[in-house]
């Protein structure tokens, strides 16, 4: 067995004759346990909050979204549509037309994004599973699905034929408008359903049949705002991107879910990094006790160190004794804290003893990546703290 490691293990297991050193060592160990546990729990909480936040936007965002790089529309011929569906790794393709629209109902008006979708759209996203009231529209009828906040602002219900619900969009073209009433295309529709996701999204979209929106905007059948795509779980995104660009043969932008939620991902990652750094600082403070206990241990064992040195043990090996001792103490304490943190996370997942609201538990997710982060952080900082303390070992101690 490695001699410095063997001595370090003996020093770690056996108690010191000096009671103050034992107390400081226990305080250092408990501090590392608590800080490791806290770091893992907080990282697990942020993993839960991350998934919880993204679950709302992922309802509406596809795996891939193909948009024109210039202008507002792209062209998709029937043959190109068939070629896209044949690409290996693509499960479904949906044609989309989007435009800002004015919603008018019973002397009330709201501006929202009118989104024309085909019959494949419900296989791309889960919006139809978020219906608060009513049903998803029939693609052959003048029906729409609106957000809960839009319905609240306009005071509308589903299948209300007593009052006219109108959609207005600007007419395409150039020049001076002589009559404002002639500047808009309009159509009467009937709300068939109301969806509810979150406050922002519930006020953003109104869904309608693709052909209805194309007619309202005076688009050609092959003229679209974007194409939304659902991928298979084992699909190669890079290869699919290359094939899409080859088939469409026009200037396009392809975004995945991360790119579509770029600002949200950046915010969540920044918050996660900030919390990690804060709790890493807590671990660093706890490791000061470890440095202190190791230095006191070195002073107590200086006669033993002198004897070992006289027997031929080099200074560098004497330093390694306390380097190993401090590293072992920090890793053992870190693993104990990590185990306690994992137990707390699983208890919260299964028993939900901490609640945000009376019906919703605080979201936490066990992530093996967080285990590696905590172990890596404890191992690195524990090694550095031990190296600082071990650096005080030299001949001056016993001369």
């Amino acid at each position: 067995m490695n001699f410095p490691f063997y001595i370090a293990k003996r020093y770690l297991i056996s108690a010191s004759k000096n009671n103050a050193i034992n107390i400081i060592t226990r305080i250092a160990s408990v501090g590392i346990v608590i800080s490791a546990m806290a770091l893992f729990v907080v990282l697990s909480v942020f993993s839960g909050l991350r998934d919880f936040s993204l679950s709302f936007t992922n309802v509406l965002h596809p795996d891939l979204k193909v948009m024109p790089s210039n202008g507002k529309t792209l062209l998709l011929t029937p043959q190109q549509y068939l070629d896209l569906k044949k690409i290996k790794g693509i499960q479904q393709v949906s044609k989309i037309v989007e435009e800002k629209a004015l919603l008018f109902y019973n002397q009330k008006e709201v501006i929202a994004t009118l989104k024309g979708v085909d019959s494949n759209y419900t296989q791309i996203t889960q919006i139809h599973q978020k219906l608060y009231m009513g049903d998803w529209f029939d693609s052959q009828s003048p029906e729409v699905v609106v957000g809960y906040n839009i319905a609240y602002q306009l005071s509308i219900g589903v299948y209300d034929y007593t009052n006219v619900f109108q959609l207005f969009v600007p007419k395409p073209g150039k020049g001076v408008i002589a009559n404002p009433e002639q500047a808009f295309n309009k159509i009467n529709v009937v709300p068939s359903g109301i969806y509810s996701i979150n406050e922002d999204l519930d006020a953003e979209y109104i869904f309608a049949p693709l052909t209805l929106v194309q007619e309202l905007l005076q688009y050609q059948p092959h003229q679209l705002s974007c194409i939304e795509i659902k991928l298979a779980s084992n699909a190669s995104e890079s290869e699919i991107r290359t094939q899409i660009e080859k088939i469409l043969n026009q200037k396009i932008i392809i975004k995945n879910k991360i790119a579509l939620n770029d600002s949200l991902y950046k915010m969540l990652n920044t918050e996660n990094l900030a919390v990690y750094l804060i709790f890493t600082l807590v671990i660093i403070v706890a490791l000061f006790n470890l440095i202190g206990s190791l230095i006191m241990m070195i002073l107590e064992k200086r006669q033993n160190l002198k004897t070992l040195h006289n027997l031929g043990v080099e200074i560098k090996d004497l330093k390694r004794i306390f380097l190993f001792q401090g590293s072992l103490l920090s890793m053992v304490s870190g693993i104990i804290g990590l185990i306690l943190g994992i137990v707390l996370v699983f208890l919260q997942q299964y028993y939900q003893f901490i609640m945000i609201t009376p019906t919703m538990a605080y979201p936490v997710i066990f992530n093996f990546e967080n285990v590696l982060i905590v172990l890596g952080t404890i191992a690195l900082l524990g090694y550095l703290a031990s190296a600082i303390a071990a650096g005080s070992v030299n001949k001056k101690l016993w001369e």
Side-chain angles (χ1 to χ4, degrees), residues 6 30 81 117 144 155 251 329:
Y6 174 77
V30 171
Y81 177 69
V117 300
V144 296
S155 302
K251 294 181 179 180
L329 178 62

Side-chain angles (χ1 to χ4, degrees), residues 151-218:
Y152 177 79
Q153 293 179 57
L154 296 177
S155 302
I156 62 173
V158 296
Y159 298 112
D160 184 2
Y161 295 94
T162 58
N163 294 293
V164 177
F165 182 62
Q166 295 180 314
L167 297 177
F168 292 85
V169 296
K171 286 184 178 179
K174 300 179 180 179
V176 179
I177 300 174
N179 186 355
E181 294 183 359
Q182 297 178 355
F184 296 91
N185 291 330
K186 68 177 181 178
I187 191 171
N188 297 335
V189 293
V190 176
S192 66
I194 299 173
Y195 71 87
S196 179
I197 302 174
N198 63 29
E199 186 174 353
D200 293 331
L201 294 175
D202 291 351
E204 185 172 355
Y205 290 104
I206 174 171
F207 296 91
L210 175 65
T211 53
L212 182 72
V213 179
Q214 285 179 323
E215 180 182 350
L216 183 63
L217 296 172
Q218 298 179 9

Side-chain angles (χ1 to χ4, degrees), residues 64 66 76 79-93 227-249 252 254:
L64 288 179
V66 183
L76 182 69
Q79 185 58 49
Q80 288 174 327
Y81 177 69
L82 293 175
D83 291 341
L84 287 178
K85 297 189 72 173
K86 291 178 182 178
I87 295 177
K88 184 180 179 181
I90 290 183
Q91 289 188 340
Q92 195 54 266
V93 178
I227 303 167
E228 297 191 359
I229 297 172
K230 181 177 179 60
L231 302 180
S233 58
N234 59 347
S236 172
E237 184 179 317
S238 59
E239 292 180 6
I240 291 174
R241 283 173 176 267
T242 302
Q243 294 184 62
I244 291 173
E245 291 172 351
K246 184 177 179 181
I247 290 172
L248 295 183
N249 192 27
I252 57 173
I254 304 176

Side-chain angles (χ1 to χ4, degrees), residues 130-372:
K130 298 296 182 178
L131 290 180
Y132 172 79
M133 183 184 300
D135 306 296
W136 192 255
F137 54 76
D138 184 347
S139 58
Q140 302 300 321
S141 62
E143 297 176 342
V144 296
V145 171
V146 302
Y148 180 83
N149 280 1
I150 295 174
Y152 177 79
Q153 293 179 57
L154 296 177
S155 302
I156 62 173
V158 296
Y159 298 112
D160 184 2
Y161 295 94
T162 58
N163 294 293
V164 177
F165 182 62
Q166 295 180 314
L167 297 177
F168 292 85
V169 296
K171 286 184 178 179
K174 300 179 180 179
V176 179
I177 300 174
N179 186 355
E181 294 183 359
Q182 297 178 355
F184 296 91
N185 291 330
K186 68 177 181 178
I187 191 171
N188 297 335
V189 293
V190 176
S192 66
I194 299 173
Y195 71 87
S196 179
I197 302 174
N198 63 29
E199 186 174 353
D200 293 331
L201 294 175
D202 291 351
E204 185 172 355
Y205 290 104
I206 174 171
F207 296 91
L210 175 65
T211 53
L212 182 72
V213 179
Q214 285 179 323
E215 180 182 350
L216 183 63
L217 296 172
Q218 298 179 9
Y219 281 5
Q220 298 298 319
H222 60 279
Q223 191 175 5
L224 306 172
S225 299
C226 62
I227 303 167
E228 297 191 359
I229 297 172
K230 181 177 179 60
L231 302 180
S233 58
N234 59 347
S236 172
E237 184 179 317
S238 59
E239 292 180 6
I240 291 174
R241 283 173 176 267
T242 302
Q243 294 184 62
I244 291 173
E245 291 172 351
K246 184 177 179 181
I247 290 172
L248 295 183
N249 192 27
Q250 52 188 300
K251 294 181 179 180
I252 57 173
I253 299 173
I254 304 176
K255 292 187 176 183
N256 56 19
K257 285 186 177 181
I258 295 177
L260 291 170
N261 294 293
D262 186 46
S263 58
L264 179 58
Y265 272 94
K266 286 182 179 178
M267 181 190 71
L268 292 173
N269 290 336
T270 301
E271 290 179 348
N272 199 15
L273 178 60
V275 170
Y276 169 75
L277 293 176
I278 291 171
F279 277 84
T280 299
L281 181 62
V282 174
I283 295 176
I284 292 173
V285 172
L287 288 173
F288 277 112
N289 290 324
L290 174 64
I291 295 173
S293 67
L294 287 175
I295 291 176
M296 292 181 69
M297 179 73 72
I298 291 169
L299 293 174
E300 182 191 34
K301 303 293 185 182
R302 56 187 172 184
Q303 292 302 321
N304 294 343
L305 297 177
K306 179 181 179 180
T307 302
L308 290 173
H309 183 63
N310 292 334
L311 290 173
V313 180
E314 297 182 2
I315 295 294
K316 65 177 183 179
D317 289 327
L318 295 178
K319 291 182 178 181
R320 290 175 64 194
I321 292 174
F322 297 97
L323 178 64
F324 285 141
Q325 182 185 356
S327 298
L328 284 172
L329 178 62
S330 59
M331 282 304 298
V332 170
S333 301
I335 290 172
I336 293 173
L338 186 59
I339 292 172
L340 292 176
I342 292 172
V343 170
L344 287 176
V345 167
F346 279 116
L347 286 174
Q348 173 64 13
Q349 282 183 332
Y350 289 103
Y351 295 102
Q352 301 180 347
F353 53 86
I354 300 179
M355 307 293 289
I356 298 177
T357 67
T359 59
M360 186 176 71
Y362 217 97
V364 293
I365 291 179
F366 173 80
N367 193 331
F368 190 70
E369 180 182 349
N370 293 335
V371 174
L372 296 179

